[in-house]
Amino acid sequence: MRLDTILRVCTKLFLPFIWVFALYVQLHGDFGPGGGFQAGVIAAAGVILYAIVFGKSAATRIVPKWLVEAMVPLGVLLYAGVGVYSMLMGGNYLDYDVLFHSPPTHYEAVHGQHWGVFLVEIGVLITVTGTMITIFYAFAGRGRREDRN
Amino acid sequence: MVLLTLMALITLAIVRVRNLFAVVALTGAFSFLMASVMMVLDAVDVAMTEASVGAGISTVLMLGALYLTKSREAPPRFSQVIPVVVAVGVGAVLVYGSLELPGFGLADTPVNTHVGEAYIQRVMYDADIPNVVTAVLASYRGYDTLGETAVIFTAGIGVLLLLSRGRGEDSQADGGEEGGGDAS
């Protein structure tokens, strides 16, 4: 597949759109369908497409293995961290109302909700993207090794 | 109805076909039909997830798994009577259970009268997020979503533990490795 010009050119053409679409799904999740889970999968699908067409080693050059493996726990930590932070601010766990001011006025509560949802979705995005790419790398790497033996 | 009929046909085909490549392709098609059904039911978020996860990622992963194994299903070693009985029995119990369910989208069902309605009425005041699904997912039901994220985290860690044994030699081989994903 590495010699197939059409596939390679088309993949390069598509990739920016896939990733921008992932960002759109992520950041527009408050207003339209979508959110961290979907955006994470779309972003991971872009990387996986690149890995399929250009080979796993090319993909690990732009998205190294240690990075995706670090992303897996990082997203959960960010999510849980928002909860701990809201506790430190004097609210309940994952109570975004108090993220900026405690006790919040109505405006501050809404502001906190916006930021809370945003950060939490980013956390979901990081974990989902990391996990999907990690699983793919694990499968692809294993296939390679079995092949060689 | 057309979609559901197509899905039933594809399920039958998946059961019949022995070539696993065809089965993977058919499961992808099944997921797209499922996504279309979700679109028809106005559950756009679920449709999006189904299309990307069901038809996209899992197809790729199945193909990757297929690369590690044979591409034809082995003939069954035991009699298939008991599995058929179990499957039909479970299906019959599920259908029987669904007979008592209220009709789809009725306004006076428990789903639409308790918290669901409250969320829809309060979300713009509470959080000013027009997409109720996102607000419920990330804010009202933040704990559940934290749990879901933890599930995905666990899945990733589990796959890492199972599939990347001998990390040392693996990372050494990474440099010379060309196109592991090529054949998948």
Side-chain angles (χ1 to χ4, degrees):
Chain A
M1 223 187 277
R2 295 171 63 77
L3 300 174
D4 196 325
T5 317
I6 296 177
L7 269 179
R8 295 169 72 96
V9 172
C10 285
T11 306
K12 284 197 171 171
L13 268 179
F14 274 130
L15 277 179
F17 292 104
I18 291 177
W19 282 322
V20 168
F21 183 62
L23 281 180
Y24 167 78
V25 168
Q26 168 76 27
L27 301 174
H28 207 252
D30 288 4
F31 306 96
F37 289 99
Q38 293 91 336
V41 173
I42 294 170
V47 177
I48 290 176
L49 174 68
Y50 189 81
I52 287 176
V53 174
F54 292 89
K56 189 189 156 203
S57 61
T60 44
R61 267 203 298 279
I62 46 169
V63 190
K65 221 173 169 183
W66 61 264
L67 178 68
V68 287
E69 285 174 12
M71 279 164 76
V72 176
L74 210 65
V76 182
L77 275 179
L78 175 60
Y79 200 136
V82 173
V84 171
Y85 183 73
S86 67
M87 271 171 82
L88 290 178
M89 292 295 286
N92 290 325
Y93 191 67
L94 289 175
D95 180 4
Y96 312 136
D97 283 357
V98 297
L99 277 186
F100 290 102
H101 206 269
S102 175
T105 62
H106 176 242
Y107 173 77
E108 281 161 349
V110 168
H111 195 50
Q113 287 284 340
H114 280 173
W115 271 94
V117 170
F118 176 76
L119 289 174
V120 157
E121 294 273 9
I122 295 278
V124 174
L125 169 86
I126 293 173
T127 289
V128 171
T129 313
T131 305
M132 292 299 164
I133 302 177
T134 299
I135 293 177
F136 178 77
Y137 280 174
F139 267 81
R142 187 176 172 89
R144 190 65 194 167
R145 273 171 55 198
E146 296 285 301
D147 206 26
R148 207 166 45 206
N149 289 342
Chain B
M1 200 63 215
V2 177
L3 290 172
L4 292 179
T5 315
L6 277 175
M7 280 167 71
L9 287 178
I10 286 184
T11 315
L12 284 178
I14 290 175
V15 175
R16 298 292 305 170
V17 170
R18 289 261 166 248
N19 185 340
L20 291 178
F21 273 113
V23 169
V24 172
L26 283 171
T27 41
F30 184 88
S31 291
F32 268 122
L33 284 174
M34 194 70 220
S36 312
V37 170
M38 290 301 171
M39 282 294 292
V40 173
L41 295 179
D42 281 342
V44 193
D45 288 81
V46 187
M48 211 168 198
T49 316
E50 178 67 40
S52 50
V53 179
I57 300 277
S58 45
T59 306
V60 169
L61 290 183
M62 293 287 256
L63 286 174
L66 213 53
Y67 175 58
L68 307 177
T69 173
K70 291 182 204 150
S71 67
R72 282 195 73 79
E73 196 178 339
R77 232 181 293 168
F78 303 103
S79 158
Q80 288 183 302
V81 176
I82 296 177
V84 166
V85 170
V86 171
V88 171
V90 172
V93 168
L94 286 176
V95 169
Y96 176 71
S98 71
L99 288 179
E100 292 283 305
L101 286 178
F104 174 73
L106 287 183
D108 56 349
T109 57
V111 182
N112 290 333
T113 46
H114 293 290
V115 284
E117 201 184 3
Y119 287 154
I120 291 172
Q121 280 170 354
R122 297 186 45 173
V123 65
M124 285 312 278
Y125 177 79
D126 278 349
D128 189 30
I129 293 173
N131 184 3
V132 192
V133 179
T134 301
V136 171
L137 188 114
S139 182
Y140 292 120
R141 288 267 173 261
Y143 275 53
D144 297 1
T145 311
L146 179 59
E148 282 173 46
T149 316
V151 166
I152 294 187
F153 163 77
T154 316
I157 297 298
V159 167
L160 271 183
L161 284 175
L162 283 173
L163 289 187
S164 65
R165 281 211 200 114
R167 285 280 309 279
E169 89 187 76
D170 205 31
S171 52
Q172 271 178 0
D174 259 1
E177 224 170 66
E178 282 293 314
D182 268 5
S184 50

